[in-house]
Amino acid sequence: MTINKMLHQKLPMASAACLLVTLMSCTAVPEPATTSETESNRPEAIESQQPTTDDLTAQPVPSEPEQSTETTTDDVPFLEPGDFAISGLTIGSDVEDAIAQLGEPDRKEEYFLAGDPNGTWIYDSGTTLYTNSEKIWGMTTSDTNLCTASGVCPGNDFNTVVETLGTNEISTDEKGRHVTYSPAAEEEVVACWMEVYLEDSEDTVRDLRLACQP
């Protein structure tokens, strides 16, 4: 039965009034959304409610403890007394001692440095001496027969160097990978060092170098 037929039927006045009330309550129309609710559902309003970068960065982030990369004096041992030498030759040795130990060089390159005569003595066995007129001021050798007083020689495994001379950081320069050691504190050698250079492809000693700052 349709609503119109129901209303046009002859019903008692009270029954008709009750029927109208019932129908109105069942077909109630929802109230329109308020302006504030409508605006809050807009895309730009929803986006504005998302957390911003500032909100995220404002949250405290636990910091990791910093790791120190400093090398302490305990990690850089000095050479033992007398070990700042190769086959008994060191910075300040007489050139006559070099000739007595190694013989005459295969080649000499003479030049002047600050007005003083200097030379580079080259041995085909793999040793080079840097000299002035009387003294040695630098030395490099890859000769496996020339060693330090403690027995470190070219050709040694790097583990032998560490066990003999102590641990130090491996550095890299244009000549390759190397470890640097300082003379013993009690020796009267200022601003000098011994460098142990390693082969590029393996941890084997390539050559030993003695040098001082000019």
Side-chain angles (χ1 to χ4, degrees):
M1 180 183 293
T2 63
I3 295 174
N4 288 332
K5 288 182 179 181
M6 292 172 62
L7 292 175
H8 286 87
Q9 281 184 345
K10 294 181 179 180
L11 296 174
M13 185 64 67
S15 298
C18 290
L19 177 61
L20 287 173
V21 171
T22 302
L23 291 174
M24 292 177 65
S25 63
C26 292
T27 58
V29 179
E31 294 183 3
T34 62
T35 304
S36 59
E37 290 176 345
T38 304
E39 291 180 351
S40 64
N41 290 327
R42 291 179 181 174
E44 57 270 21
I46 294 174
E47 183 178 354
S48 66
Q49 295 171 9
Q50 300 298 321
T52 64
T53 304
D54 293 338
D55 294 332
L56 294 175
T57 56
Q59 299 298 324
V61 178
S63 58
E64 296 182 0
E66 294 184 0
Q67 296 182 353
S68 174
T69 57
E70 288 188 9
T71 304
T72 65
T73 53
D74 293 336
D75 298 324
V76 187
F78 287 106
L79 296 171
E80 292 294 327
D83 216 16
F84 184 67
I86 301 173
S87 193
L89 301 175
T90 188
I91 304 298
S93 293
D94 293 336
V95 292
E96 287 84 358
D97 294 335
I99 294 173
Q101 184 70 27
L102 304 177
E104 290 286 345
D106 295 293
R107 295 185 303 282
K108 285 185 179 181
E109 298 176 357
E110 304 291 341
Y111 59 94
F112 285 86
L113 183 63
D116 297 324
N118 283 258
T120 301
W121 293 13
I122 302 170
Y123 294 83
D124 290 342
S125 58
T127 300
T128 301
L129 300 179
Y130 303 94
T131 70
N132 56 26
S133 58
E134 299 177 351
K135 302 288 184 180
I136 296 172
W137 58 267
M139 180 177 183
T140 299
T141 186
S142 59
D143 189 341
T144 57
N145 296 312
L146 303 185
C147 308
T148 66
S150 60
V152 173
C153 319
N156 283 163
D157 185 83
F158 182 57
N159 289 333
T160 301
V161 176
V162 172
E163 292 169 1
T164 306
L165 302 180
T167 303
N168 202 350
E169 181 182 356
I170 296 178
S171 303
T172 303
D173 61 15
E174 69 278 2
K175 300 183 184 71
R177 298 183 303 142
H178 65 279
V179 181
T180 304
Y181 295 93
S182 298
E186 59 268 24
E187 293 188 17
E188 295 183 1
V189 183
V190 180
C192 296
W193 55 89
M194 181 173 74
E195 295 171 322
V196 180
Y197 276 83
L198 306 176
E199 297 287 356
D200 293 335
S201 58
E202 56 187 20
D203 289 343
T204 302
V205 178
R206 188 187 73 200
D207 52 57
L208 304 175
R209 302 184 182 209
L210 300 180
C212 288
Q213 188 157 4

